[in-house]
Amino acid sequence: MKNIRTIAYASVAAVSLSLALPALAQDPVNIQLWAVDRPDQPAPQLIDEFNESQDEIHVEYRQLQFSDLLSDVMRAYAVGKAPDIYAVDVPFNAMMASKGALMDLTEMVENSDVINIDDYYPGPVESATWDGKLYGVPKSTNTIALFYNEDMFEAAGIDEPPQTWDELYQDAQALTDKDAGVYGLAFSAQANEEGTFQFLPWVQMAGGSWDDVNGPGAVEALTLWKKFLDEGLASPDTISRSQWVSTSTFISGNAAMAISGPWELDRMVREADFNWNVALLPVPEEGAPRSSAMGDYNWVLFKSTEHPEETFKVLEYIASKDPEMFQRFGQLPPEDNVEIPSTGNEELDQALSTFQEQLKYAQPRGPSPEWPAISKAVQDALQAALTGSQTPQQALDAAQAKIDKVTN
């Protein structure tokens, strides 16, 4: 009996002791997030803030190089080591979704109290959609519009920026000063994604699309591009120069107009020593539909994640910071309903307003799982037509044949 009482007392003591001790803290769920963002850009900073805000989830960040962005993550996915969340360049969202690599976010977003997909610009949402389902949430967004030198316009007696393609051509003629080394227009027709990015809006405004590039309107657009080069209204190296170099030509005073994006606004404010402004891209003719390019990244979740709920919580936290996107990081938020407060710089405020208006018409590249081949077909057409090895019609016919081959 004594032994029984001893055991009983020991058991009660053990239970009492266990109740008195604090519960052991569980280890946080580890989430891997990969993006190209540098330390001064959103991803690493927002991750640090998220980690500090709670102790149930810990996010580890890996910065990728843009040149290796897609190859690194798809290689990791192939060997079962993909991250939980990833920032994909928008034209490749559909390709990854079509391969079954990404999680369908449709229901999670519909049930979210943080993300309202109806608040986003249509273009970014379309870029994240495949086969009627949502496979991403826009991270930030950008587009292209027309920068113009107000001082040069005033000196040439031009009262307003061009509204149509004819006006763009006429203004470029009037503003070109070959003796002074000033071109009427700067743009990029480079043989990479930047060339496609700049040309597709012209196709779309003329009634075509990414999979219909050889119609009369598209041929007219490429013919006009060729006239800019043939007549010396744009630099001969337009076929090899990047958007950044084109904007540099404008900032240096060697071009009266330039087609570029909001990523150049900080540089414009710092370096341009003339009055400048931004206008919507000219349309083929008055009343024609508008369009523009759409770029930047989407957040996607890999289907292989072992922690879908926790990973989506990370995504919701990042999305909740979109209203701070421009003030903190100089990037345009992907939501249409986010107001950007005044910067105190009138030129910058006007430019931001124009880019936000242009985003209403921005269209994605694709979406198509065959995007790399489609884009290469467009790039080849630009090079062939602008160097004169083919007519614009021949070049775009050849591009259309390549696109049909990979999409049918």
Side-chain angles (χ1 to χ4, degrees):
M1 191 72 175
K2 180 179 179 182
N3 290 339
I4 294 175
R5 279 199 293 268
T6 301
I7 294 172
Y9 292 150
S11 298
V12 170
V15 170
S16 300
L17 181 61
S18 67
L19 291 174
L21 291 174
L24 294 177
Q26 292 185 336
D27 291 335
V29 172
N30 284 314
I31 301 296
Q32 297 286 326
L33 185 151
W34 295 4
V36 296
D37 288 18
R38 302 185 303 270
D40 62 335
Q41 293 181 318
Q45 295 197 35
L46 295 181
I47 286 171
D48 286 345
E49 293 169 14
F50 176 79
N51 286 338
E52 292 172 3
S53 72
Q54 46 75 56
D55 55 11
E56 297 176 353
I57 304 169
H58 180 78
V59 184
E60 296 179 0
Y61 177 62
R62 176 181 171 185
Q63 181 184 346
L64 302 177
Q65 298 302 311
F66 180 78
S67 58
D68 302 320
L69 180 62
L70 189 62
S71 60
D72 277 3
V73 78
M74 292 308 290
R75 188 161 45 244
Y77 173 71
V79 297
K81 295 184 178 181
D84 300 277
I85 187 169
Y86 168 67
V88 62
D89 195 6
V90 289
F92 304 113
N93 202 145
M95 182 184 73
M96 295 178 68
S98 71
K99 292 181 180 297
L102 304 182
M103 182 178 297
D104 176 5
L105 301 178
T106 308
E107 186 174 346
M108 299 177 83
V109 169
E110 287 176 353
N111 295 329
S112 175
D113 293 328
V114 177
I115 300 171
N116 183 355
I117 207 67
D118 292 335
D119 291 339
Y120 289 70
Y121 290 105
V125 175
E126 187 179 352
S127 75
T129 303
W130 175 248
D131 199 23
K133 297 178 180 179
L134 190 68
Y135 286 94
V137 172
K139 174 180 182 287
S140 56
T141 191
N142 63 47
T143 188
I144 52 175
L146 184 72
F147 286 86
Y148 64 100
N149 185 317
E150 291 185 310
D151 295 342
M152 288 186 181
F153 269 62
E154 182 178 356
I158 303 173
D159 297 329
E160 62 179 9
Q163 306 297 311
T164 66
W165 290 0
D166 283 344
E167 291 178 4
L168 179 67
Y169 173 66
Q170 293 163 8
D171 289 351
Q173 286 182 308
L175 293 162
T176 296
D177 186 342
K178 296 181 181 179
D179 292 336
V182 176
Y183 295 102
L185 178 66
F187 61 98
S188 173
Q190 198 171 22
N192 59 18
E193 194 66 29
E194 292 192 32
T196 308
F197 187 73
Q198 292 234 328
F199 184 65
L200 271 186
W202 297 65
V203 175
Q204 293 157 348
M205 288 187 284
S209 63
W210 61 268
D211 57 352
D212 179 15
V213 300
N214 67 335
V219 173
E220 180 186 353
L222 188 49
T223 300
L224 179 57
W225 273 32
K226 183 169 172 54
K227 286 174 69 174
F228 284 126
L229 269 67
D230 289 349
E231 297 179 19
L233 309 181
S235 173
D237 67 354
T238 296
I239 59 174
S240 61
R241 60 165 44 185
S242 66
Q243 294 177 102
W244 191 90
V245 173
S246 296
T247 309
S248 296
T249 302
F250 176 74
I251 291 174
S252 67
N254 294 111
M257 297 179 283
I259 298 173
S260 196
W263 57 84
E264 296 288 11
L265 290 175
D266 284 347
R267 189 157 68 116
M268 288 295 305
V269 171
R270 292 194 313 269
E271 300 179 18
D273 61 358
F274 52 83
N275 294 308
W276 57 275
N277 209 330
V278 180
L280 299 178
L281 289 181
V283 294
E285 57 189 13
E286 189 175 347
R290 293 193 179 278
S291 183
S292 189
M294 194 216 79
D296 224 289
Y297 299 87
N298 295 332
W299 293 116
V300 297
L301 275 59
F302 271 91
K303 185 184 288 187
S304 56
T305 178
E306 296 179 358
H307 308 287
E309 292 184 7
E310 291 85 354
T311 301
F312 191 73
K313 286 182 181 179
V314 176
L315 178 55
E316 285 185 312
Y317 179 87
I318 294 173
S320 74
K321 302 300 180 180
D322 284 351
E324 306 170 13
M325 190 63 65
F326 185 79
Q327 297 95 303
R328 293 183 60 184
F329 306 111
Q331 297 180 7
L332 293 182
E335 295 94 339
D336 188 9
N337 64 338
V338 173
E339 293 186 13
I340 298 178
S342 173
T343 65
N345 181 307
E346 185 176 352
E347 284 182 325
L348 181 56
D349 288 346
Q350 289 178 349
L352 285 168
S353 177
T354 300
F355 277 116
Q356 287 189 293
E357 175 69 18
Q358 187 77 83
L359 274 167
K360 296 178 181 179
Y361 311 104
Q363 298 186 41
R365 286 159 282 166
S368 171
E370 305 298 337
W371 183 253
I374 293 166
S375 183
K376 182 64 164 57
V378 174
Q379 297 162 29
D380 290 346
L382 294 179
Q383 295 293 305
L386 298 180
T387 59
S389 64
Q390 291 181 320
T391 68
Q393 183 72 69
Q394 290 171 336
L396 291 174
D397 284 346
Q400 188 65 53
K402 295 175 185 176
I403 292 171
D404 290 342
K405 184 175 181 180
V406 299
T407 57
N408 294 330

